[in-house]
Coordinates of all heavy atoms in Angstrom, one line a residue:
M570 N -2.2 39.6 25.0 CA -2.8 39.8 23.7 C -3.6 41.1 23.7 O -4.4 41.4 24.6 CB -3.8 38.6 23.4 CG -4.4 38.8 22.0 SD -5.8 37.7 21.9 CE -5.2 36.3 21.0
A571 N -3.4 41.9 22.6 CA -4.0 43.2 22.5 C -5.5 43.0 22.1 O -5.9 42.1 21.4 CB -3.3 44.1 21.5
D572 N -6.3 44.0 22.6 CA -7.7 44.0 22.2 C -7.9 44.7 20.9 O -7.7 45.9 20.8 CB -8.5 44.7 23.3 CG -10.0 44.6 23.1 OD1 -10.5 43.9 22.1 OD2 -10.7 45.2 23.9
D573 N -8.3 44.0 19.8 CA -8.5 44.5 18.5 C -9.8 45.2 18.3 O -10.0 45.8 17.2 CB -8.3 43.5 17.4 CG -6.8 43.0 17.4 OD1 -5.9 43.8 17.7 OD2 -6.6 41.8 17.0
T574 N -10.7 45.2 19.3 CA -12.0 45.8 19.1 C -11.9 47.3 18.9 O -12.8 47.9 18.3 CB -13.0 45.5 20.2 OG1 -12.4 46.0 21.4 CG2 -13.2 44.0 20.3
D575 N -10.8 48.0 19.3 CA -10.7 49.4 19.1 C -10.5 49.7 17.6 O -10.7 50.8 17.2 CB -9.5 49.9 19.9 CG -9.7 49.9 21.4 OD1 -10.9 49.9 21.8 OD2 -8.7 49.9 22.1
E576 N -10.1 48.8 16.9 CA -9.8 49.0 15.4 C -11.1 48.8 14.6 O -11.1 49.2 13.4 CB -8.7 48.0 15.0 CG -7.4 48.2 15.7 CD -6.8 49.5 15.4 OE1 -6.8 50.0 14.2 OE2 -6.2 50.1 16.3
I577 N -12.1 48.2 15.1 CA -13.3 47.8 14.4 C -14.3 49.0 14.4 O -14.6 49.4 15.5 CB -13.9 46.5 14.9 CG1 -12.9 45.4 14.7 CG2 -15.2 46.2 14.1 CD1 -13.4 44.1 15.4
R578 N -14.7 49.4 13.3 CA -15.7 50.5 13.2 C -16.9 50.0 12.4 O -16.6 49.3 11.3 CB -15.2 51.7 12.6 CG -14.1 52.4 13.4 CD -13.6 53.7 12.8 NE -14.8 54.6 12.6 CZ -14.7 55.9 12.8 NH1 -13.6 56.4 13.2 NH2 -15.7 56.7 12.6
I579 N -18.1 50.3 12.8 CA -19.2 49.8 12.0 C -19.5 50.9 11.0 O -19.2 52.1 11.2 CB -20.4 49.5 12.9 CG1 -20.8 50.7 13.8 CG2 -20.1 48.3 13.8 CD1 -22.1 50.5 14.5
P580 N -20.2 50.6 9.9 CA -20.5 51.6 8.9 C -21.2 52.8 9.4 O -20.9 53.9 8.9 CB -21.4 50.8 7.9 CG -20.9 49.4 8.0 CD -20.6 49.2 9.5
A581 N -22.1 52.7 10.3 CA -22.8 53.8 10.9 C -21.9 54.8 11.5 O -22.0 56.0 11.4 CB -23.9 53.4 11.8
E582 N -20.9 54.3 12.2 CA -19.9 55.2 12.8 C -19.0 55.9 11.8 O -18.7 57.1 11.9 CB -18.9 54.4 13.7 CG -19.6 53.9 15.0 CD -18.7 52.9 15.8 OE1 -17.7 52.4 15.2 OE2 -18.9 52.7 16.9
D583 N -18.7 55.2 10.7 CA -17.9 55.8 9.6 C -18.8 56.9 9.0 O -18.3 58.0 8.7 CB -17.6 54.7 8.6 CG -16.5 53.8 9.1 OD1 -15.7 54.2 10.0 OD2 -16.4 52.7 8.5
D584 N -20.0 56.6 8.7 CA -20.9 57.6 8.1 C -21.1 58.8 9.0 O -21.0 60.0 8.5 CB -22.3 57.0 7.8 CG -22.3 56.1 6.6 OD1 -21.3 56.0 5.9 OD2 -23.3 55.4 6.4
A585 N -21.2 58.6 10.3 CA -21.3 59.8 11.2 C -20.1 60.6 11.2 O -20.1 61.8 11.2 CB -21.6 59.3 12.6
A586 N -18.9 60.0 11.1 CA -17.7 60.7 11.0 C -17.5 61.5 9.8 O -17.1 62.7 9.8 CB -16.5 59.7 11.2
V587 N -18.0 61.0 8.6 CA -17.9 61.7 7.4 C -18.9 62.9 7.4 O -18.7 64.0 7.0 CB -18.1 60.8 6.2 CG1 -18.2 61.6 4.9 CG2 -17.0 59.8 6.1
E588 N -20.1 62.6 7.9 CA -21.1 63.7 8.0 C -20.6 64.8 8.9 O -20.8 66.0 8.5 CB -22.4 63.1 8.6 CG -23.2 62.2 7.7 CD -24.5 61.7 8.3 OE1 -24.9 62.2 9.4 OE2 -25.0 60.7 7.8
A589 N -20.0 64.5 10.0 CA -19.4 65.5 10.8 C -18.3 66.3 10.1 O -18.3 67.5 10.2 CB -18.8 64.9 12.1
A590 N -17.5 65.6 9.3 CA -16.4 66.3 8.6 C -17.0 67.2 7.5 O -16.5 68.4 7.3 CB -15.5 65.3 7.9
V591 N -18.0 66.8 6.8 CA -18.7 67.6 5.8 C -19.3 68.8 6.5 O -19.1 70.0 6.0 CB -19.8 66.8 5.0 CG1 -20.7 67.7 4.2 CG2 -19.1 65.8 4.1
L592 N -20.0 68.7 7.5 CA -20.7 69.8 8.2 C -19.7 70.8 8.8 O -19.8 72.0 8.6 CB -21.7 69.3 9.3 CG -22.6 70.3 9.8 CD1 -23.4 71.0 8.7 CD2 -23.5 69.6 10.8
R593 N -18.6 70.3 9.4 CA -17.6 71.1 9.9 C -16.9 72.0 8.8 O -16.7 73.2 8.9 CB -16.5 70.3 10.6 CG -16.7 70.0 12.0 CD -15.5 69.5 12.8 NE -14.9 68.4 12.1 CZ -15.2 67.1 12.4 NH1 -16.1 66.8 13.3 NH2 -14.6 66.1 11.7
Q594 N -16.7 71.3 7.6 CA -16.1 72.1 6.5 C -17.0 73.2 6.0 O -16.6 74.3 5.8 CB -15.8 71.1 5.4 CG -15.1 71.7 4.2 CD -13.7 72.0 4.4 OE1 -13.1 71.7 5.4 NE2 -13.1 72.7 3.5
L595 N -18.3 72.8 5.9 CA -19.3 73.9 5.4 C -19.4 75.0 6.4 O -19.5 76.2 6.0 CB -20.6 73.2 5.1 CG -20.7 72.2 3.9 CD1 -22.0 71.5 3.9 CD2 -20.4 73.0 2.6
L596 N -19.4 74.7 7.7 CA -19.6 75.7 8.7 C -18.3 76.6 8.7 O -18.4 77.8 8.9 CB -19.8 75.1 10.1 CG -21.2 74.5 10.3 CD1 -21.2 73.6 11.5 CD2 -22.3 75.5 10.3
A597 N -17.2 76.0 8.5 CA -15.9 76.8 8.5 C -15.8 77.7 7.3 O -15.3 78.8 7.4 CB -14.7 75.8 8.5
L598 N -16.4 77.3 6.2 CA -16.4 78.2 5.0 C -17.5 79.1 4.9 O -17.5 80.0 4.0 CB -16.3 77.3 3.8 CG -15.0 76.4 3.7 CD1 -15.1 75.4 2.5 CD2 -13.8 77.3 3.6
Y599 N -18.5 79.0 5.7 CA -19.7 79.9 5.7 C -19.2 81.3 5.8 O -18.4 81.6 6.6 CB -20.7 79.5 6.8 CG -22.0 80.3 6.7 CD1 -22.9 80.0 5.8 CD2 -22.1 81.4 7.5 CE1 -24.1 80.8 5.7 CE2 -23.3 82.2 7.4 CZ -24.2 81.9 6.5 OH -25.4 82.6 6.4
P600 N -19.7 82.3 5.0 CA -21.0 82.3 4.2 C -20.8 81.8 2.8 O -21.8 81.9 2.0 CB -21.4 83.7 4.3 CG -20.1 84.5 4.3 CD -19.2 83.6 5.2
A601 N -19.7 81.3 2.5 CA -19.5 80.8 1.1 C -20.4 79.6 0.8 O -20.6 78.8 1.7 CB -18.0 80.4 0.8
Q602 N -20.9 79.6 -0.4 CA -21.6 78.4 -0.9 C -20.6 77.6 -1.6 O -20.0 78.0 -2.6 CB -22.8 78.7 -1.8 CG -23.9 79.5 -1.0 CD -25.1 79.8 -1.9 OE1 -25.2 79.3 -3.0 NE2 -26.0 80.6 -1.3
V603 N -20.3 76.3 -1.2 CA -19.2 75.5 -1.7 C -19.7 74.7 -2.8 O -20.7 74.0 -2.7 CB -18.7 74.6 -0.5 CG1 -17.5 73.8 -1.0 CG2 -18.3 75.5 0.7
P604 N -19.0 74.7 -4.0 CA -19.3 73.8 -5.0 C -19.1 72.3 -4.6 O -18.2 72.0 -3.8 CB -18.3 74.1 -6.1 CG -17.9 75.5 -5.8 CD -17.9 75.6 -4.3
F605 N -20.1 71.5 -4.9 CA -20.0 70.1 -4.5 C -18.7 69.4 -4.8 O -18.1 68.7 -4.0 CB -21.2 69.3 -5.1 CG -21.2 67.9 -4.7 CD1 -21.6 67.5 -3.4 CD2 -20.7 66.9 -5.6 CE1 -21.6 66.1 -3.1 CE2 -20.7 65.5 -5.2 CZ -21.2 65.2 -3.9
E606 N -18.1 69.7 -6.0 CA -16.9 69.0 -6.4 C -15.7 69.5 -5.5 O -14.8 68.8 -5.2 CB -16.6 69.3 -7.8 CG -17.3 68.4 -8.8 CD -17.1 66.9 -8.5 OE1 -16.0 66.5 -8.3 OE2 -18.1 66.2 -8.4
E607 N -15.8 70.8 -5.1 CA -14.7 71.3 -4.1 C -14.8 70.6 -2.8 O -13.8 70.2 -2.2 CB -14.9 72.8 -4.0 CG -13.8 73.4 -3.1 CD -14.0 74.9 -2.9 OE1 -14.4 75.6 -3.9 OE2 -13.7 75.4 -1.8
L608 N -16.1 70.5 -2.3 CA -16.3 69.8 -1.0 C -15.8 68.3 -1.2 O -15.2 67.8 -0.3 CB -17.8 69.8 -0.7 CG -18.2 69.1 0.6 CD1 -17.6 69.8 1.8 CD2 -19.7 69.1 0.7
M609 N -16.1 67.7 -2.3 CA -15.7 66.3 -2.5 C -14.1 66.2 -2.5 O -13.6 65.3 -1.9 CB -16.2 65.9 -3.9 CG -15.9 64.4 -4.2 SD -16.7 63.3 -3.1 CE -18.3 63.3 -3.8
R610 N -13.4 67.2 -3.1 CA -12.0 67.2 -3.0 C -11.4 67.4 -1.6 O -10.5 66.7 -1.2 CB -11.4 68.3 -3.9 CG -11.4 67.9 -5.4 CD -10.5 68.9 -6.2 NE -11.0 70.3 -6.1 CZ -12.0 70.8 -6.8 NH1 -12.6 70.1 -7.7 NH2 -12.3 72.1 -6.6
E611 N -12.1 68.3 -0.9 CA -11.6 68.6 0.5 C -11.8 67.5 1.5 O -11.0 67.2 2.3 CB -12.3 69.9 1.0 CG -11.9 71.1 0.2 CD -10.4 71.5 0.5 OE1 -9.9 71.4 1.6 OE2 -9.8 72.0 -0.5
V612 N -13.0 66.9 1.4 CA -13.4 65.8 2.4 C -13.2 64.4 1.8 O -12.9 63.5 2.5 CB -14.8 66.1 2.9 CG1 -15.2 65.0 3.9 CG2 -15.0 67.5 3.4
G613 N -13.4 64.3 0.5 CA -13.5 63.0 -0.1 C -12.1 62.4 -0.5 O -12.0 61.2 -0.7
G614 N -11.1 63.2 -0.4 CA -9.8 62.7 -0.7 C -9.5 62.4 -2.2 O -10.0 63.1 -3.0
E615 N -8.7 61.5 -2.5 CA -8.2 61.2 -3.8 C -9.4 60.7 -4.7 O -10.2 59.9 -4.2 CB -7.1 60.1 -3.8 CG -5.9 60.6 -3.0 CD -5.2 61.8 -3.7 OE1 -5.1 61.8 -4.9 OE2 -4.8 62.6 -2.9
P616 N -9.4 61.1 -6.0 CA -10.4 60.6 -6.9 C -10.5 59.1 -7.0 O -11.6 58.5 -7.2 CB -10.1 61.2 -8.2 CG -9.2 62.3 -7.9 CD -8.5 62.0 -6.6
E617 N -9.4 58.4 -6.7 CA -9.4 56.9 -6.8 C -10.1 56.2 -5.6 O -10.4 55.1 -5.6 CB -8.0 56.4 -6.9 CG -7.2 56.9 -8.1 CD -6.6 58.3 -7.8 OE1 -6.2 58.6 -6.7 OE2 -6.5 59.1 -8.8
D618 N -10.3 57.0 -4.5 CA -10.8 56.4 -3.3 C -12.4 56.5 -3.4 O -13.0 57.3 -2.8 CB -10.3 57.2 -2.1 CG -10.7 56.5 -0.8 OD1 -11.4 55.5 -0.8 OD2 -10.3 57.0 0.3
F619 N -12.9 55.5 -4.1 CA -14.4 55.5 -4.4 C -15.2 55.4 -3.1 O -16.2 56.1 -2.9 CB -14.7 54.3 -5.3 CG -16.2 54.1 -5.4 CD1 -16.9 54.9 -6.3 CD2 -16.9 53.2 -4.7 CE1 -18.3 54.8 -6.4 CE2 -18.3 53.1 -4.8 CZ -19.0 53.9 -5.7
S620 N -14.7 54.6 -2.1 CA -15.6 54.4 -0.9 C -15.6 55.7 -0.1 O -16.7 56.1 0.4 CB -15.0 53.3 -0.1 OG -13.7 53.6 0.4
R621 N -14.6 56.5 -0.1 CA -14.6 57.7 0.6 C -15.4 58.8 -0.1 O -16.2 59.5 0.5 CB -13.1 58.3 0.8 CG -13.0 59.6 1.5 CD -13.3 59.4 3.0 NE -13.0 60.7 3.6 CZ -13.2 60.9 4.9 NH1 -13.6 60.0 5.7 NH2 -12.9 62.1 5.4
R622 N -15.3 58.8 -1.4 CA -16.1 59.8 -2.2 C -17.6 59.4 -2.1 O -18.5 60.3 -2.0 CB -15.7 59.8 -3.6 CG -14.2 60.4 -3.7 CD -13.7 60.4 -5.2 NE -14.4 61.2 -6.1 CZ -14.3 62.5 -6.2 NH1 -13.4 63.2 -5.5 NH2 -14.9 63.2 -7.1
D623 N -17.9 58.1 -2.1 CA -19.3 57.7 -1.9 C -19.8 58.1 -0.6 O -21.0 58.5 -0.4 CB -19.4 56.1 -2.1 CG -20.8 55.6 -2.1 OD1 -21.6 56.2 -2.9 OD2 -21.1 54.7 -1.4
A624 N -19.0 58.0 0.4 CA -19.4 58.4 1.8 C -19.7 59.9 1.9 O -20.7 60.3 2.6 CB -18.3 58.0 2.8
V625 N -19.0 60.7 1.1 CA -19.2 62.1 1.1 C -20.6 62.4 0.4 O -21.4 63.2 0.9 CB -18.1 62.9 0.4 CG1 -18.5 64.4 0.3 CG2 -16.8 62.8 1.3
E626 N -20.8 61.7 -0.7 CA -22.1 61.8 -1.4 C -23.3 61.5 -0.4 O -24.3 62.2 -0.4 CB -22.1 61.0 -2.6 CG -21.3 61.5 -3.7 CD -21.3 60.7 -5.0 OE1 -22.2 59.8 -5.1 OE2 -20.5 61.0 -5.9
R627 N -23.1 60.4 0.3 CA -24.2 59.9 1.2 C -24.3 61.0 2.3 O -25.4 61.3 2.8 CB -23.8 58.6 1.8 CG -24.1 57.4 0.9 CD -24.1 56.1 1.7 NE -23.0 55.9 2.7 CZ -21.8 55.5 2.4 NH1 -21.4 55.2 1.1 NH2 -20.8 55.4 3.3
A628 N -23.2 61.5 2.8 CA -23.3 62.5 3.9 C -24.1 63.8 3.4 O -24.9 64.3 4.2 CB -21.9 62.9 4.3
V629 N -23.8 64.2 2.2 CA -24.5 65.4 1.7 C -26.0 65.1 1.6 O -26.8 65.9 2.0 CB -23.9 65.9 0.4 CG1 -24.8 66.9 -0.3 CG2 -22.5 66.5 0.6
R630 N -26.3 63.9 1.1 CA -27.7 63.5 0.9 C -28.4 63.4 2.3 O -29.5 64.0 2.5 CB -27.8 62.2 0.2 CG -29.2 61.7 0.0 CD -29.3 60.2 -0.3 NE -28.8 59.4 0.8 CZ -28.1 58.3 0.8 NH1 -27.8 57.8 -0.4 NH2 -27.7 57.6 1.8
D631 N -27.7 62.8 3.3 CA -28.4 62.5 4.6 C -28.4 63.8 5.4 O -29.4 64.0 6.1 CB -27.6 61.4 5.3 CG -27.7 60.1 4.6 OD1 -28.6 59.9 3.7 OD2 -27.0 59.2 5.0
L632 N -27.4 64.6 5.4 CA -27.5 65.9 6.1 C -28.6 66.8 5.5 O -29.2 67.5 6.2 CB -26.1 66.6 6.1 CG -25.0 66.0 6.9 CD1 -23.7 66.6 6.6 CD2 -25.4 66.1 8.4
G633 N -28.7 66.8 4.2 CA -29.8 67.5 3.6 C -31.2 67.0 4.0 O -32.1 67.8 4.3
A634 N -31.3 65.7 4.1 CA -32.6 65.1 4.5 C -33.0 65.4 5.9 O -34.2 65.5 6.2 CB -32.5 63.5 4.4
V635 N -32.0 65.7 6.8 CA -32.4 66.0 8.2 C -32.4 67.5 8.4 O -32.5 68.0 9.5 CB -31.5 65.3 9.2 CG1 -31.7 63.8 9.1 CG2 -30.1 65.7 9.1
G636 N -32.2 68.3 7.3 CA -32.3 69.8 7.4 C -31.0 70.5 7.9 O -31.1 71.6 8.3
L637 N -29.8 69.9 7.8 CA -28.6 70.5 8.3 C -27.8 71.2 7.2 O -26.9 71.9 7.4 CB -27.8 69.5 9.1 CG -28.4 69.1 10.4 CD1 -27.5 68.1 11.1 CD2 -28.5 70.4 11.3
L638 N -28.2 70.9 5.9 CA -27.5 71.6 4.8 C -28.5 71.6 3.7 O -29.5 70.9 3.6 CB -26.2 70.9 4.4 CG -26.1 69.5 3.8 CD1 -26.6 69.5 2.3 CD2 -24.7 69.0 3.9
H639 N -28.2 72.5 2.7 CA -29.0 72.7 1.5 C -28.1 72.5 0.3 O -26.9 72.8 0.4 CB -29.6 74.1 1.5 CG -30.5 74.4 2.6 ND1 -31.7 73.8 2.7 CD2 -30.4 75.3 3.6 CE1 -32.3 74.2 3.8 NE2 -31.6 75.2 4.4
R640 N -28.6 72.1 -0.7 CA -27.9 72.0 -2.0 C -28.7 72.7 -3.1 O -29.9 72.4 -3.3 CB -27.7 70.5 -2.4 CG -26.8 70.3 -3.5 CD -26.4 68.9 -3.7 NE -25.5 68.7 -4.8 CZ -25.0 67.6 -5.2 NH1 -25.2 66.5 -4.6 NH2 -24.2 67.6 -6.3
N641 N -28.1 73.7 -3.7 CA -28.8 74.4 -4.8 C -28.0 74.1 -6.0 O -26.9 74.8 -6.2 CB -28.8 75.9 -4.4 CG -29.5 76.7 -5.4 OD1 -30.1 76.2 -6.3 ND2 -29.4 78.0 -5.3
G642 N -28.4 73.2 -6.8 CA -27.6 72.8 -8.0 C -26.3 72.2 -7.5 O -26.3 71.2 -6.8
E643 N -25.2 72.8 -7.9 CA -23.9 72.2 -7.5 C -23.4 72.9 -6.2 O -22.3 72.5 -5.8 CB -22.9 72.4 -8.6 CG -23.1 71.4 -9.8 CD -23.0 70.0 -9.3 OE1 -22.0 69.6 -8.7 OE2 -23.9 69.2 -9.6
L644 N -24.1 73.8 -5.7 CA -23.6 74.5 -4.5 C -24.2 73.9 -3.2 O -25.4 73.5 -3.2 CB -24.0 76.0 -4.5 CG -23.4 76.8 -5.7 CD1 -23.9 78.2 -5.7 CD2 -21.9 76.7 -5.6
V645 N -23.4 73.8 -2.2 CA -23.8 73.2 -0.9 C -23.5 74.2 0.2 O -22.4 74.8 0.2 CB -23.0 71.9 -0.6 CG1 -23.5 71.2 0.6 CG2 -23.1 70.9 -1.8
F646 N -24.4 74.3 1.2 CA -24.2 75.3 2.2 C -25.0 74.9 3.5 O -26.0 74.2 3.3 CB -24.6 76.7 1.8 CG -25.9 76.9 1.2 CD1 -27.0 77.3 1.9 CD2 -26.1 76.6 -0.2 CE1 -28.2 77.4 1.3 CE2 -27.4 76.7 -0.7 CZ -28.4 77.1 0.0
P647 N -24.6 75.3 4.7 CA -25.3 74.9 5.9 C -26.6 75.5 6.0 O -26.8 76.7 5.6 CB -24.3 75.3 7.0 CG -23.5 76.4 6.4 CD -23.4 76.1 4.9
S648 N -27.5 74.9 6.6 CA -28.9 75.4 6.9 C -28.8 76.4 8.1 O -27.8 76.4 8.8 CB -29.9 74.3 7.2 OG -29.6 73.7 8.4
R649 N -29.9 77.2 8.2 CA -30.0 78.1 9.4 C -29.9 77.3 10.7 O -29.3 77.7 11.7 CB -31.3 78.9 9.3 CG -31.2 79.9 8.2 CD -32.5 80.7 8.1 NE -32.9 81.3 9.4 CZ -34.2 81.7 9.6 NH1 -35.1 81.6 8.7 NH2 -34.5 82.2 10.8
A650 N -30.5 76.1 10.7 CA -30.5 75.2 11.9 C -29.1 74.8 12.2 O -28.7 74.9 13.4 CB -31.4 74.0 11.7
A651 N -28.3 74.5 11.2 CA -26.9 74.1 11.5 C -26.1 75.3 12.0 O -25.2 75.1 12.9 CB -26.3 73.5 10.2
L652 N -26.3 76.4 11.4 CA -25.6 77.6 11.8 C -25.9 78.0 13.3 O -25.1 78.4 14.0 CB -25.9 78.8 10.9 CG -25.4 78.7 9.5 CD1 -26.1 79.7 8.6 CD2 -23.9 78.8 9.4
R653 N -27.2 77.9 13.6 CA -27.6 78.2 15.0 C -27.0 77.2 16.0 O -26.5 77.6 17.1 CB -29.2 78.2 15.1 CG -29.7 78.5 16.5 CD -29.4 79.9 16.9 NE -30.0 80.2 18.2 CZ -29.4 80.9 19.1 NH1 -28.3 81.5 18.9 NH2 -30.0 81.0 20.3
L654 N -27.0 75.9 15.6 CA -26.4 74.9 16.5 C -24.9 75.2 16.7 O -24.4 75.1 17.8 CB -26.6 73.5 15.9 CG -26.0 72.4 16.7 CD1 -26.6 72.3 18.1 CD2 -26.2 71.1 16.0
D655 N -24.3 75.5 15.6 CA -22.8 75.9 15.7 C -22.6 77.1 16.6 O -21.7 77.1 17.4 CB -22.3 76.1 14.3 CG -20.8 76.4 14.3 OD1 -20.1 75.5 14.8 OD2 -20.4 77.4 13.7
E656 N -23.5 78.1 16.5 CA -23.4 79.2 17.3 C -23.6 78.9 18.8 O -22.9 79.4 19.7 CB -24.5 80.2 16.9 CG -24.5 81.5 17.6 CD -25.7 82.4 17.1 OE1 -25.6 82.9 16.0 OE2 -26.6 82.6 17.9
L657 N -24.6 78.0 19.1 CA -24.9 77.6 20.5 C -23.7 76.8 21.1 O -23.4 77.0 22.3 CB -26.2 76.8 20.6 CG -27.5 77.6 20.3 CD1 -28.6 76.7 20.2 CD2 -27.7 78.7 21.4
L658 N -23.2 75.9 20.3 CA -22.1 75.1 20.8 C -20.7 75.7 20.8 O -19.8 75.2 21.4 CB -22.0 73.8 20.0 CG -23.3 72.9 20.1 CD1 -23.1 71.7 19.2 CD2 -23.6 72.5 21.5
G659 N -20.7 76.9 20.1 CA -19.5 77.7 20.0 C -18.3 77.0 19.8 O -17.2 77.2 20.0

């Protein structure tokens, strides 16, 4: 019998994976300031996938709360702290 625990992910793991995807996308596009809707299309997938789009919205909110990205109106971009971390981890 196969162990199905590899298939089970808890919401915090899912959120962390989406946060990582959002931050990677913003770092890859830097120095561009990315419109939120473009980020949503790139990371959030199909418009019909509400749960994925909701996860991207939470990721932007939570990454902003911990100082890893900034949002200026509809534009989203990595913070200096995120850029420095990316530089250090190379």
Side-chain angles (χ1 to χ4, degrees):
M570 181 195 262
D572 185 6
D573 291 332
T574 58
D575 291 339
E576 300 294 321
I577 299 172
R578 291 182 60 139
I579 59 173
E582 290 172 342
D583 290 338
D584 284 351
V587 175
E588 286 178 16
V591 165
L592 193 54
R593 275 194 304 271
Q594 182 73 10
L595 292 173
L596 289 168
L598 296 173
Y599 184 79
Q602 294 184 10
V603 181
F605 179 75
E606 282 303 313
E607 181 180 326
L608 181 65
M609 184 65 76
R610 281 191 303 276
E611 292 293 321
V612 181
E615 299 297 320
E617 301 82 31
D618 190 354
F619 173 78
S620 63
R621 180 73 175 176
R622 293 176 67 81
D623 186 52
V625 172
E626 288 181 11
R627 284 194 316 274
V629 168
R630 180 197 65 214
D631 294 348
L632 289 169
V635 297
L637 291 175
L638 67 76
H639 298 294
R640 188 168 181 180
N641 183 7
E643 285 301 308
L644 300 176
V645 184
F646 51 99
S648 69
R649 288 178 52 200
L652 293 168
R653 179 67 176 142
L654 179 63
D655 186 51
E656 182 181 291
L657 291 171
L658 296 178

